[in-house]
Amino acid sequence: MKTRRSRRQQRSSRDSDPCSKLTFQLDADSLFKYCDQRGIDILQSLRLKVTPPIRFNDPFEFMPKVAFVITPEKITSGLRSKRMLHQLWKQMKIPLDFETFRNLYLNRFEQVGERRVKATLKKRQAAADNARDGILEFMSAAFALACYSEVADNFLMWSHYTAGHQGMVIEFNVGNEFFIKPENLMPVVYRSERVNASYGPRGLSFNEPNTSLVRTKNLDWSYEKEWRQMFPLKTCTKVHGADGNVTYFQPLPPKALKSVILGTRCKTATENAVRELIQRRELRHVKVKRAILHERDFRLKIVEM
């Protein structure tokens, strides 16, 4: 699927390597994060909440479609192979020469082989399912993501993520050092098919760049125009809540913040808190804007205050 026209894609020469990196360039100066009233914490604590993907609200996240490519014929061939039998013979350490052992094994295999192949096939299918289902847990134990949007005026996102327009959108300066690692900032691609993977004799493998797993979502989400930033959990600050849950944060340079866009239903107390925080010396460059209803159309306008 083609990348949207608004950005250039720079592909590394090691796409097929599991450690290869795809880098992308955003042809804009800003990215935006939709927040409820708790977005004030970004200004107050100069930190950005990042989330392990297992906590995302889409159950298709990090769930590829896996083609099971192990056939009964391959299993039969493997169970009868001279190499496998020689290893088995050495492990068992029975007082028979290899050829005698092999002939006895093959004669027995003719009697019970079909049943054994079916049992092996069932085990490998279960292993394939576990490998697929384990991706999300594995990634969530190692990484957390920050999610942004290219746009600040999407009405649906204001409704879903800002407590019904009572919250705010934080505008970030993508030219800041916080965003300079191009390999961990990537656009989401929206498509109808899940990421392609296959499970064969050597286990799970992907049929497209591994980063596709991080940046592929259902077409239904395309209105979000999302970008994602990935952080190793070991670089994150952990905050333990009273409920026992752990929340992860990344420290945020003040200059990474560009503006705060208040929602159309933003309460006075929230606005006052924002204005007070940006009086701090390190945040005096941050502008305050407001989303207002367009006079004629079903859309929002962003205006400076």
Side-chain angles (χ1 to χ4, degrees):
M1 182 172 181
K2 295 182 179 178
T3 308
R4 293 192 294 272
R5 296 179 185 175
S6 60
R7 62 183 62 89
R8 296 192 304 275
Q9 177 175 318
Q10 299 173 326
R11 187 178 294 270
S12 110
S13 60
R14 299 177 62 200
D15 281 357
S16 58
D17 190 286
C19 298
S20 67
K21 298 172 181 176
L22 294 175
T23 61
F24 305 87
Q25 180 173 319
L26 174 69
D27 294 334
D29 298 326
S30 301
L31 284 172
F32 304 91
K33 188 166 188 66
Y34 291 74
C35 311
D36 58 19
Q37 295 89 331
R38 289 173 293 182
I40 289 175
D41 181 69
I42 295 175
L43 303 172
Q44 190 170 45
S45 305
L46 290 177
R47 63 184 184 179
L48 182 66
K49 181 183 176 182
V50 293
T51 306
I54 201 167
R55 300 181 187 175
F56 287 0
N57 59 6
D58 183 354
F60 284 105
E61 294 277 9
F62 291 81
M63 286 287 285
K65 62 174 183 178
V66 179
F68 187 70
V69 295
I70 300 176
T71 64
E73 291 76 19
K74 286 183 178 180
I75 291 176
T76 300
S77 176
L79 292 174
R80 294 172 56 94
S81 73
K82 187 173 183 179
R83 180 179 177 182
M84 189 279 294
L85 290 177
H86 195 270
Q87 291 176 343
L88 183 62
W89 173 69
K90 290 177 67 176
Q91 292 172 2
M92 294 180 68
K93 296 180 180 180
I94 56 179
L96 293 174
D97 63 85
F98 174 66
E99 286 302 323
T100 301
F101 167 78
R102 183 187 179 200
N103 289 331
L104 288 172
Y105 175 93
L106 293 177
N107 287 335
R108 179 62 177 166
F109 189 83
E110 292 297 325
Q111 303 172 33
V112 300
E114 183 177 354
R115 186 167 67 247
R116 188 174 178 188
V117 167
K118 287 181 178 179
T120 302
L121 196 64
K122 185 177 181 179
K123 288 181 181 179
R124 298 305 296 271
Q125 179 66 68
D129 293 342
N130 290 335
R132 178 201 61 208
D133 296 344
I135 293 172
L136 181 60
E137 291 187 9
F138 172 80
M139 293 297 294
S140 297
F143 297 98
L145 279 73
C147 302
Y148 313 94
S149 175
E150 291 181 20
V151 296
D153 59 354
N154 185 277
F155 194 82
L156 287 176
M157 294 182 74
W158 272 102
S159 300
H160 294 163
Y161 301 127
T162 71
H165 300 260
Q166 296 182 74
M168 64 199 72
V169 166
I170 306 292
E171 180 181 8
F172 292 96
N173 173 17
V174 294
N176 183 265
E177 59 185 344
F178 187 74
F179 297 98
I180 61 173
K181 288 186 177 180
E183 69 271 11
N184 82 335
L185 182 65
M186 60 194 80
V188 168
V189 172
Y190 303 97
R191 66 192 205 188
S192 58
E193 288 191 359
R194 290 152 69 177
V195 173
N196 289 299
S198 57
Y199 190 91
R202 296 186 178 182
L204 187 69
S205 62
F206 289 93
N207 305 324
E208 49 190 296
N210 291 352
T211 50
S212 297
L213 194 66
V214 181
R215 53 184 294 261
T216 302
K217 293 182 70 173
N218 190 315
L219 279 169
D220 290 347
W221 295 101
S222 60
Y223 67 90
E224 292 191 342
K225 297 183 179 180
E226 183 181 345
W227 280 67
R228 289 181 166 181
Q229 194 173 18
M230 180 179 285
F231 300 95
L233 280 184
K234 62 183 179 182
T235 70
C236 299
T237 301
K238 297 181 182 180
V239 176
H240 296 266
D243 57 1
N245 290 327
V246 178
T247 306
Y248 299 91
F249 295 91
Q250 277 289 317
L252 198 62
K255 292 294 185 180
L257 296 167
K258 200 169 182 179
S259 77
V260 179
I261 306 169
L262 304 174
T264 61
R265 295 175 177 172
C266 182
K267 297 185 183 302
T268 302
T270 302
E271 179 178 346
N272 289 341
V274 169
R275 291 190 178 279
E276 181 178 348
L277 287 167
I278 64 172
Q279 293 306 309
R280 291 157 53 183
R281 183 174 61 181
E282 66 268 27
L283 294 179
R284 287 177 185 168
H285 64 283
V286 177
K287 297 180 179 180
V288 177
K289 303 177 183 180
R290 184 177 286 277
I292 63 173
L293 302 182
H294 190 271
E295 300 84 357
R296 182 186 65 254
D297 301 334
F298 286 112
R299 60 187 178 91
L300 298 172
K301 293 196 306 184
I302 309 299
V303 297
E304 292 198 21
M305 299 176 64

